Every structure is written in structure tokens, then in C-alpha cells.
Amino acid sequence: MSDADKNAIDKLLIEPTSKCNLSCAFCPFGKRVIKQHDSNFDDLKTIIKKAFIFKYFPKVEITGGEPLLNNDTPKIIRFIKTKGATVNINTNLNVEHSILYDVITSEPDEISVSLDGLEQYSYQKYRIGGSLKTVLNNLKYMIEKKKELNTVTHINLSFLLHRYNLKDLLNVYPFAKKIGIDSLTIRDLSICHNIKVGKDFKILHSQHPDTNCYSPLKKIYISSSGDVYPCCGFRFVERASLGNIFNDSLDTIFDSIKYKWFRSFFPDNYNQFEFCRLCKKYGSTFEQKFFTHTNHN
């Protein structure tokens, strides 16, 4: 791999677990179509150490699966912070109250909470099996602890727009501001267009812009079992694994013929991959982040 290729990568995505407690529409984790696996703290440390030997990552995103199902997640946040990277974590927040204090005191730079409705009916249409009451109680606790401990963590609400929560759209921003959320991200998920889940479930569709894709050139995704993928989308295509970090160094993996071959199709010649065509056609077509106050960084 050339230095230019290596230097272009600026974000590492890791999953403490591939398990999830919800069955969200269209999510392979929720559909249990991939092997369920938890990483322990030692394995997560190994992943981070070997990744940072390869290069310094200014940004690390903790995703999954539901990361807070793994009790070692707060410890790995602290460990990553010692490397000088910013740490963001994605969560559905349908988790036990007991882990939240450790999460807040580990001081991730951002916690992004999925909240796709302001009533249980609209919320559960996508977050199947989720409890809005649990999420709101956990949010309230985190916001209170953040203020009490004066932590720097930025709390974001991620609102996935679909036909059943349209009526919540006008209210979600004032709601977020009122309870003390730092920002609100609104996005659609057009990959759900014309697919039904349960009774008459559709998500709004608009044509994906015809743009190049730089994701595999800028990110690395490492699964809970150590498999290395070129982006979060290909995490769900087992044969797309470029190697395993427990068996080889990232230098070896990224200098491999398979990796070089795959990268050669990006950013503008990736249409031969069926998954990329679907992502381009039906992927998220709109995403906008709104800050709820003016004195943000």
C-alpha cells in the first residue's frame, strides 16, 4: 500500500459485539443473519493496538450490533481515548440502566442515540422490539449525569424518517432541545423503498445522487471477531472480509492482492459490485445535523 492510500484512511469502526436486542427492519444485525459474537476486553485491546500500529486513526466509531450489550465497551472507550482519538458510539439505548454511568464517565466524544418516533407506535415501527419509555428514561439519566459530572460528551439524537413518524418530524427538534440534547440528525433510508415489513410499512424514497464513493478509501471496519472489511456495508458480505487482524497485521492485510484489487474500483468504478449498486440506488439520500444551541464546538 502506498503512503497516500494509507494516509487517506482516517476512521476506524469497531464492533464490541455483533449481537443486538432489537429486530430493526432491514438491519442484518437485527435479523440475526450474521454470527453472534462478543469480543472481550483483551481482544478489543488487541484490535485497537494492532490498528494503531498500522497508523494513527483520528476518529474511532463504536458500532455494531448494540455496543452497550457488551459490558467491556466503557473500558474500551477509555483505552481508545489514551490513543488521542475521538470516540463516537452508536446505540439504540434499549439497555440496562446499570451500564450508563460507566459509559458517561468513560467520556466518549459523542453518543448517538437512535430515536425514530416520539410515540411508542411510531417508534416501534422501525425499532422492532424497542421500548420508547426505556430510551427516554436512559436519555434523561445520561443528560443529568453529563451535567452533574461536567463531562464533554456530545449527545446526538438520530432520527430515521419513515412514513409512520412523519407527524413526529415537526416536534422532534423542539423535543430534543427541551430535554438537553446537543444535536439532532435527521436522515432517510431509501433502501427500504417498496419493501414491506409487517403491515404496509414503507420508508420514504428519493433518488440517490449519482456520486462517487470514498468510504472504502477512508474507513476500515473491524468486526467483533477481528475480520477486516472495507466499509460498514460490506460487513454483511462475509466473502468481502479482507483478512483477520488476529491472524495478520493490518499492513499485511492492506498490502494483499485482494485489498488492492478491491480498492482499485473506488471511488468511481464500483458499479460491478451488486451491494454497491444497491447502496448507490437505495442508500440514505438525506442526512442533516442540527445543533440545538449555538455554543457548540
Side-chain angles (χ1 to χ4, degrees):
M1 172 185 280
S2 71
D3 287 340
D5 288 339
K6 193 171 182 177
N7 292 336
I9 300 169
D10 65 359
K11 189 173 187 178
L12 174 67
L13 294 91
I14 64 167
E15 56 175 53
T17 179
S18 60
K19 296 177 181 178
C20 190
N21 50 352
L22 302 188
S23 300
C24 298
F26 318 110
C27 177
F29 288 112
K31 297 300 182 185
R32 311 329 189 242
V33 298
I34 55 179
K35 187 176 179 180
Q36 307 285 284
H37 183 269
D38 284 324
S39 282
N40 59 43
F41 182 53
D42 288 338
D43 284 347
L44 290 168
K45 281 177 65 177
T46 297
I47 289 172
I48 296 300
K49 285 179 179 179
K50 295 188 76 170
F52 275 78
I53 288 173
F54 170 69
K55 69 161 292 174
Y56 170 72
F57 290 90
K59 296 176 284 188
V60 178
E61 183 174 324
I62 299 178
T63 187
E66 171 47 56
L68 299 188
L69 294 181
N70 188 326
N71 290 329
D72 287 331
T73 293
K75 289 194 288 185
I76 201 61
I77 292 172
R78 292 186 178 95
F79 183 72
I80 296 169
K81 297 282 284 185
T82 67
K83 301 293 184 180
T86 63
V87 183
N88 294 358
I89 180 169
N90 303 317
T91 175
N92 63 45
L93 216 56
N94 279 270
V95 295
E96 294 292 333
H97 193 78
S98 55
I99 196 174
L100 299 180
Y101 182 82
D102 285 343
V103 173
I104 288 294
T105 55
S106 68
E107 297 195 72
D109 293 271
E110 179 173 297
I111 301 173
S112 186
V113 179
S114 298
L115 185 74
D116 310 323
L118 299 180
E119 298 177 358
Q120 178 64 24
Y121 172 79
S122 55
Y123 171 76
Q124 69 181 0
K125 280 295 180 177
Y126 186 83
R127 305 290 163 185
I128 299 169
S131 166
L132 179 62
K133 182 178 179 180
T134 297
V135 176
L136 295 181
N137 286 339
N138 285 342
L139 264 177
K140 180 180 178 182
Y141 175 83
M142 287 201 308
I143 292 167
E144 289 175 350
K145 285 300 175 185
K146 175 188 169 183
K147 292 177 180 177
E148 177 186 324
L149 301 172
N150 195 30
T151 67
V152 299
T153 301
H154 181 103
I155 299 179
N156 175 71
L157 278 191
S158 178
F159 186 87
L160 181 64
L161 188 62
H162 56 74
R163 67 177 299 182
Y164 288 105
N165 63 11
L166 280 176
K167 61 185 177 61
D168 296 327
L169 183 59
L170 293 178
N171 297 319
V172 66
Y173 179 84
F175 166 81
K177 187 171 184 178
K178 180 179 179 180
I179 68 172
I181 295 297
D182 297 301
S183 64
L184 167 69
T185 301
I186 298 175
R187 60 193 176 96
D188 74 342
L189 188 62
S190 295
I191 196 169
C192 307
H193 180 57
N194 286 338
I195 302 175
K196 296 183 179 180
V197 175
K199 184 179 179 182
D200 194 30
F201 182 98
K202 292 182 183 179
I203 288 182
L204 298 178
H205 174 69
S206 55
Q207 184 61 43
H208 195 286
D210 186 14
T211 58
N212 294 335
C213 177
Y214 292 90
S215 187
L217 307 179
K218 293 178 175 290
K219 302 174 184 179
I220 299 170
Y221 189 109
I222 304 180
S223 76
S224 55
S225 56
D227 285 316
V228 177
Y229 295 90
C231 70
C232 56
F234 274 94
R235 166 65 179 94
F236 310 120
V237 184
E238 286 190 15
R239 64 182 181 275
S241 173
L242 301 169
N244 190 287
I245 199 168
F246 294 121
N247 300 329
D248 294 297
S249 70
L250 273 184
D251 278 302
T252 298
I253 293 169
F254 283 100
D255 279 336
S256 68
I257 294 173
K258 185 176 182 179
Y259 172 77
K260 291 177 179 177
W261 174 83
F262 185 86
R263 283 174 61 88
S264 69
F265 297 98
F266 293 86
D268 55 4
N269 193 29
Y270 53 84
N271 280 330
Q272 68 169 295
F273 298 113
E274 182 180 7
F275 185 90
C276 292
R277 293 197 301 271
L278 291 172
C279 182
K280 178 182 177 183
K281 184 175 182 181
Y282 298 122
S284 181
T285 63
F286 171 82
E287 181 170 318
Q288 181 63 53
K289 193 168 191 174
F290 303 90
F291 290 91
T292 58
H293 49 78
T294 56
N295 59 332
H296 60 81
N297 292 326

